[in-house]
Every structure is written in C-alpha cells, then in structure tokens.
C-alpha cells in the first residue's frame, strides 16, 4: 500500500513533469507549427549537383523486373505497434475478419537499422532521406548531405526519369518530412513553404492525402503553394465528388482530404472511422490513375499519424492508425493478386516512436489489449471535450462521466475499475485544471494556452491510466533507436530478408525496377 501510494505520488509528479515535457519535446520534433528548427542554413538549391542512388551490395537470383512498386512507410511503426494492432484486431470484433494485419503475414521479413548520420536515434527527415535516396544524412535534413552542398537523388525521381509514373500519398501534410524526402532537397525539414514549392517542380503524377502545412509560408503572406502547383500543371482536388470522378486519363493530380486539420493533415482514424476518402481510398485512386501507363509506377504511401499518436503515448489511437495503414496495404495487395508477375510491395517504418513495450508493472505478466476498444476518440479530441466541459464549469463527476464515456474508465463491466489512487489523481488534475493555479501566474503565457495546458492534464492522465490497464507502457515521448521490421511480397521480395540498413531499401528497389545494375 505504502509503496503504491509512494508510486502514485511519483506518478503525479511524473505526469505533470511529462505534460510539460510533451509540449517542449513534441514542439521540437514532429509537430509542424513551429518556427524552423535551427539546422544549418538552407543552401541555395539549384547549384547542388544531384547524386544518383548508390548500387546495392547484393543482387537477387531473380532478375525479373518489377513494373509496379509500392513502398509503404508506417511512420514510427515498430514491432510493438504492429503486434499491438494485430492483437487488438484478433481480440476485438473491430472488423468482420479476425485475421492478422495483411503485411505481418508477408512471406519475406527482415530487420532494418535506422540510425542517421549524426544520431543513433533518427528523425523522420534523415530516415526518409535514407529510405528515398539510399544515403545517410543528419537529423532534420531532407535529400541532402550533412554539409548541405550535395543533393541526393531519390528512387522516385530516378524512376520518373526512367518513364515510370510516381505517386506520393500520406495521412500527414504532403510537405511533411517523409513524403518530402521523396521529392524535395532542403537543409531543414521545417522549411515547409520551400518544400511545398518543390512539389510543383517534381514532375510526379499523383499526390494524395494531406495538403500543405503553411501553404503561404510562416508569415501567411506568400503566394499560395497550391497555386504554384497548379501553375506547374497540377489539378488540385479537395472535394469527394470530384475525387471519386477521377479517371485514368486524368494527369498530374494533387488530391487532398476535404477537411484537413491545422497542419494540413488528415483527421485521426479513431475520430472518424468512416472518413472519406481514407488513406486506403487515396491509395486505390493512385493505382487507378497510374496502372495503365506504359512503364508502370512507383508509389510511396505513408501512415504518418502513427508517429503522432505514439508521440502522444496514445495506444488506442495508434492502433486505429495502424489499421488504416493496413487497409491501404490491402488495396495494393488486391492489385498484386492480378499482377503477381510484375509487382512488388514493401512495407517498413522509418523508426519506432514512443518506446512502446507490451508489458508493464501495473499489470505484470499479462496483457488485456481489448480494453482499448473502449477509447472512443483521440487524446487531442478528449482534451478538447474536457476543455469544453471545464469552460462550462463542469463538476468533477461530470468530467469523470465524460472520461468514462470516452475511455470506459470506471466501468467494472469493462474490467476498467478506477482504484482510489487513480481517482485521487484525476481529482487532483481536475482541481488543478479548474481553479486558478499560482504556478500559472506568470503573465508571459497567454491565458488560453495556460488553460489548455491545465486541461490536458486530465486527458493525458486518463489515457495513461487506460494504457496501464491494457498492460502496456511507453518509454519515451520521442523516437527510439530500436530496429524496425520490413515485409515484402512479389518480384524481388527475397532482397528484403535478414539484417538490412535503411539505406539498402531504395538501392534494392531501384535495382528491382531496373533503374540501376
Ligand atoms: Zn516523430
């Protein structure tokens, strides 16, 4: 009892400390709305020469060429995130079939090291550059060497030069680090406007999913990057009817989700299970638009919000992002079924996020992943709902009811009873959130921001407690350095087994597409 109380006191301090850490760390890493992280000054673009992909170390016995190639990147999706979603799918009737995730059953599986040129723990820009160009660079850099003097050619640009059609799809903004690594060259991943302008000059055929973050620059006064893309021959589509009506003869399509969120990203799948178009729909549309072209296509599809939900340490939201990613892979798989002789599908990750562990001290030696089905919305949405209730001066019981409704917490039937300690923690967070707190007396923080921070305590705490009751734990709010998996099926798949480095993946892809020897 004492140790538990001591633990709970530590946990309060950890949670408050962690909340502040969330804001600081997340601000630094993957969240887009921040002034550019001070990486080396962006070198002028045009002068740097483009360096082609290096050749792979090993070649396959098969010398069949793949005409249709898919590279799926689950951002932040480590082994644990895949197993979590797999176990969830099998322990809950979320979908008619309780089968596993599609790609976890692929015949060829390997392990990929992810370190960047300057860190054992990579960010998405350096990892994206490695997965796109076959070369290492520093965290924060896109498509360039660490000195920023040399541009690295991506496998997508090389494929385009060879006459293949190129599709780039993501659930986060299309000028975010991972998709950008396949068409842009920038000293900083935070130069969102400059990256957006490079989409227009990419000569690629299809962009789908998220829109631009900062389409008019940080000052919001620049010429719209959407207009620039249109001037370069793209048709920008942002309504479902026109999207559905697209046909194979339509060229240079930039299709974005109709109601994008703040940073140009798609909504959370858990918040909008019936979202239209989904990541899978954007993938299927890409196949429709590019499949009848003479030289085939290369398509990169990113499940970008897996990373964001892992930064939130929000397991249920992560599961739904992985399931949405799997649904996109299934669209490629159904294409593969009728194109087995010339199609390759590769599924991997750029790094793991959150240090997710399938085991914790609260529920030692067991897991009950299925209780995560009682979470009805993302952390961000839960925080919004709690904020709203607090502004209406809701009582603790009302807030507790809101948490119960959206997480199942407190419901014995759902095996989610709240202990006295957990109740005390929530009460404390409620008290802190709904009453003026000297700690926030500082005049330099705007009131809405102060309120928001306080309110989130409750939401973060609730998600934490639920995660603990599922038996899982998170080791960090940032990325980890653990290896990630790669799965492959189709032509040349055998090249993706055993230990690999992330730079090996585009080298093998380019060879299997016949772009390099
Ligand atoms: Zn991240």
């Amino acid at each position: 009892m004492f140790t538990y109380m001591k633990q709970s006191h530590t946990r309060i301090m950890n949670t408050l400390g962690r909340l502040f850490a969330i804001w600081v760390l997340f601000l630094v890493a993957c969240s887009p709305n921040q002034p550019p992280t001070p990486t080396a000054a962006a070198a002028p673009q045009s002068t740097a020469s483009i360096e082609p992909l290096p050749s792979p170390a090993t070649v396959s016995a098969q010398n069949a060429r793949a005409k249709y190639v898919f590279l799926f990147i689950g951002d932040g999706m480590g082994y644990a995130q895949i197993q979590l979603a797999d176990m969830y799918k099998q322990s809950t009737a979320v979908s008619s079939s309780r089968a596993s995730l599609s790609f976890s059953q692929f015949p060829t599986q390997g392990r990929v090291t992810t370190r960047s040129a300057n860190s054992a723990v990579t960010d998405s820009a350096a990892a994206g550059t490695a997965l796109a160009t076959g070369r290492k660079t520093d965290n924060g850099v896109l498509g360039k060497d660490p000195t920023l003097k040399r541009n690295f050619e991506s496998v997508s640009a090389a494929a385009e030069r060879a006459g293949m059609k190129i599709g780039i799809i993501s659930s986060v903004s299309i000028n975010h680090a991972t998709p950008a690594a396949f068409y842009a060259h920038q000293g900083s991943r935070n130069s969102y406007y400059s990256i957006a302008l490079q989409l227009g000059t990419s000569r690629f055929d299809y962009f789908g999913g998220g829109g631009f973050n900062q389409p008019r620059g940080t000052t919001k006064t620049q010429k719209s990057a959407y207009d620039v893309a249109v001037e370069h021959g793209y048709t920008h589509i942002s309504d479902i009817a026109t999207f559905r009506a697209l046909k194979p003869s339509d060229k240079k399509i930039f299709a974005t989700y109709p109601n994008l969120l703040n940073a140009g990203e798609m909504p959370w799948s858990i918040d909008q299970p019936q979202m239209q178009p989904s990541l899978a729909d954007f993938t299927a549309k890409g196949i429709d638009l590019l499949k009848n072209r003479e030289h085939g296509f290369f398509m990169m599809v990113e499940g970008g919000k897996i990373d964001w939900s892992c930064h939130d340490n929000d397991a249920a939201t992560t599961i739904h992002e992985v399931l949405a990613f799997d649904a996109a892979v299934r669209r490629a798989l159904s294409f593969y079924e009728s194109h087995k002789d010339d199609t390759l599908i590769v599924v991997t990750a750029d790094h793991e996020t959150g240090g997710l562990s399938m085991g914790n001290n609260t529920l030692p030696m067991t897991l009950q992943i299925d209780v995560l089905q009682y979470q009805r919305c993302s952390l961000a949405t839960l925080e919004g709902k709690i904020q709203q209730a607090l502004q209406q001066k809701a009582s603790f019981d009302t807030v507790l009811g809101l948490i119960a409704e959206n997480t199942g917490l407190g419901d014995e039937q759902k095996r989610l009873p709240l202990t006295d300690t957990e109740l005390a923690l929530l009460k404390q967070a409620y008290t802190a959130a709904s009453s003026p707190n000297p700690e926030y007396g500082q005049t330099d923080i705007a009131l809405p921001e102060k309120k928001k921070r306080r309110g989130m305590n409750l939401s973060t705490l609730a998600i934490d407690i639920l995660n603990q009751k599922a038996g899982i734990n998170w080791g960090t709010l940032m990325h980890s350095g653990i290896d990630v998996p790669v799965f492959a099926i189709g032509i040349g798949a055998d090249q993706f087994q055993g230990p690999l480095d992330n730079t090996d993946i585009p080298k093998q892809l380019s060879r299997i597409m016949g772009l390099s020897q």
Side-chain angles (χ1 to χ4, degrees):
M1 180 64 186
F2 173 73
T3 45
Y4 188 68
M5 286 305 291
K6 187 160 165 292
Q7 269 177 354
S8 58
H9 171 68
T10 337
R11 194 177 289 264
I12 292 176
M13 297 323 292
N14 286 352
T15 310
L16 287 175
R18 203 162 65 79
L19 180 71
F20 193 70
I22 287 179
W23 277 100
V24 174
L25 287 174
F26 186 59
L27 291 178
V28 171
C30 299
S31 146
N33 299 324
Q34 294 310 310
T37 310
T39 51
Q45 280 306 310
S46 54
T47 55
S49 63
I50 288 262
E51 300 210 2
L53 267 86
S55 304
T58 60
V59 295
S60 158
Q62 274 183 358
N63 41 23
R65 181 183 162 272
K67 183 178 179 185
Y68 308 108
V69 172
F70 297 89
L71 175 60
F72 284 87
I73 300 176
D75 198 314
M77 187 185 72
Y79 286 97
Q81 283 80 355
I82 293 166
Q83 191 187 343
L84 180 72
D86 236 341
M87 288 177 79
Y88 181 86
K89 202 166 181 301
Q90 294 179 35
S91 63
T92 61
V94 280
S95 68
S96 53
S97 80
R98 290 189 180 214
S100 289
L101 299 178
S102 62
F103 53 89
S104 64
Q105 308 306 302
F106 278 9
T108 302
Q109 309 204 354
R111 178 174 53 81
V112 180
T113 48
T114 64
R115 68 156 300 120
S116 69
N118 66 344
S119 173
V121 179
T122 189
D123 81 325
S124 292
T129 300
L131 288 169
T133 73
R135 299 173 189 264
K136 297 282 188 190
T137 191
D138 287 356
N139 284 1
V141 177
L142 277 172
K144 282 178 169 290
D145 77 305
T147 70
L148 309 186
K149 293 196 176 59
R150 297 152 48 210
N151 284 357
F152 297 151
E153 182 177 50
S154 67
V155 62
S156 35
E160 191 279 327
R161 252 183 333 103
M164 294 177 80
K165 298 304 173 189
I166 311 301
I168 303 291
I169 298 160
S170 177
S171 55
V172 295
S173 45
I174 206 74
N175 55 343
H176 205 260
T178 306
F182 286 82
Y183 64 84
H185 305 276
Q186 290 288 333
S188 167
R189 57 176 294 165
N190 296 308
S191 307
Y192 287 105
Y193 187 67
S194 308
I195 294 168
L197 297 181
Q198 289 191 304
L199 180 148
T201 54
S202 68
R203 301 158 54 90
F204 291 175
D205 307 273
Y206 175 66
F207 290 92
F212 286 134
N213 181 35
Q214 298 175 6
R216 291 183 177 279
T218 49
T219 58
K220 298 193 171 75
T221 57
Q222 307 262 22
K223 180 176 184 175
S224 161
Y226 288 107
D227 296 346
V228 174
V230 169
E231 281 167 14
H232 283 90
Y234 286 94
T235 303
H236 177 222
I237 289 165
S238 59
D239 72 284
I240 185 87
T242 318
F243 175 78
R244 288 213 178 106
L246 284 169
K247 48 194 186 308
S249 56
D250 295 321
K251 305 245 179 327
K252 297 197 82 169
I253 298 298
F254 180 13
T256 57
Y257 183 80
N259 311 308
L260 294 169
L261 302 187
N262 305 345
E265 79 273 21
M266 293 173 65
W268 295 106
S269 303
I270 194 174
D271 289 338
Q272 296 204 17
Q274 306 310 323
M275 85 168 72
Q276 299 247 333
S278 64
L279 186 67
D281 297 329
F282 281 110
T283 304
K285 185 58 77 178
I287 294 170
D288 274 354
L289 292 176
L290 305 184
K291 67 183 176 195
N292 301 330
R293 310 297 177 86
E294 189 191 350
H295 299 294
F297 62 69
F298 170 82
M299 212 177 289
M300 191 292 289
V301 182
E302 183 205 17
K305 293 191 85 172
I306 299 170
D307 173 68
W308 295 18
S309 55
C310 290
H311 277 292
D312 281 345
N313 286 178
D314 179 354
T317 300
T318 299
I319 287 170
H320 289 274
E321 290 306 315
V322 173
L323 294 178
F325 179 71
D326 180 48
V329 175
R330 286 174 190 277
R331 298 298 181 93
L333 255 182
S334 42
F335 175 82
Y336 165 75
E337 293 305 329
S338 54
H339 296 79
K340 285 196 175 167
D341 299 338
D342 49 13
T343 299
L344 169 66
I345 304 173
V346 173
V347 179
T348 189
D350 54 351
H351 54 75
E352 192 275 347
T353 300
L356 177 61
S357 84
M358 303 291 281
N360 67 18
N361 298 327
T362 307
L363 203 73
M365 301 303 287
T366 183
L367 290 167
Q368 47 176 21
I369 303 298
D370 61 317
V371 298
L372 295 170
Q373 69 185 298
Y374 302 120
Q375 184 177 328
R376 294 266 175 275
C377 62
S378 63
L379 169 65
T381 300
L382 180 63
E383 186 230 319
K385 289 180 179 190
I386 289 174
Q387 269 294 327
Q388 211 176 12
L390 290 171
Q391 272 145 24
Q392 289 149 9
K393 304 266 176 272
S395 69
F396 177 56
D397 286 347
T398 306
V399 170
L400 212 49
L402 192 62
I403 289 173
E405 194 189 309
N406 289 285
T407 66
L409 287 176
D411 187 331
E412 302 260 352
Q413 303 293 321
K414 295 174 177 161
R415 288 164 291 137
L416 294 171
L418 281 170
T419 64
D420 298 346
T421 310
E422 288 156 351
L423 267 172
L425 291 170
L426 289 163
K427 179 81 186 192
Q428 206 147 9
Y430 170 82
T431 313
S434 49
S435 58
N437 182 320
E439 191 191 343
Y440 290 93
Q442 300 125 328
T443 50
D444 60 353
I445 300 182
L447 190 58
E449 182 58 25
K450 209 187 284 183
K451 266 213 171 291
K452 191 172 162 195
R453 285 190 190 183
R454 288 152 58 113
M456 274 173 44
N457 247 1
L458 276 160
S459 58
T460 320
L461 187 54
I463 296 295
D464 261 8
I465 292 171
L466 179 63
N467 282 212
Q468 288 295 317
K469 289 185 183 301
I472 62 166
N473 203 27
W474 297 89
T476 174
L477 294 153
M478 296 308 294
H479 302 170
S480 76
I482 192 169
D483 292 353
V484 296
V486 58
F487 309 88
I489 190 167
I491 296 299
D494 64 330
Q495 288 308 289
F496 298 94
Q497 62 198 337
L500 292 162
D501 181 58
N502 53 9
T503 53
D504 293 325
I505 292 187
K507 294 174 194 172
Q508 292 300 356
L509 289 175
S510 106
R511 200 197 50 70
I512 295 164
M513 287 190 276
L515 305 176
S516 63
Q517 293 315 311

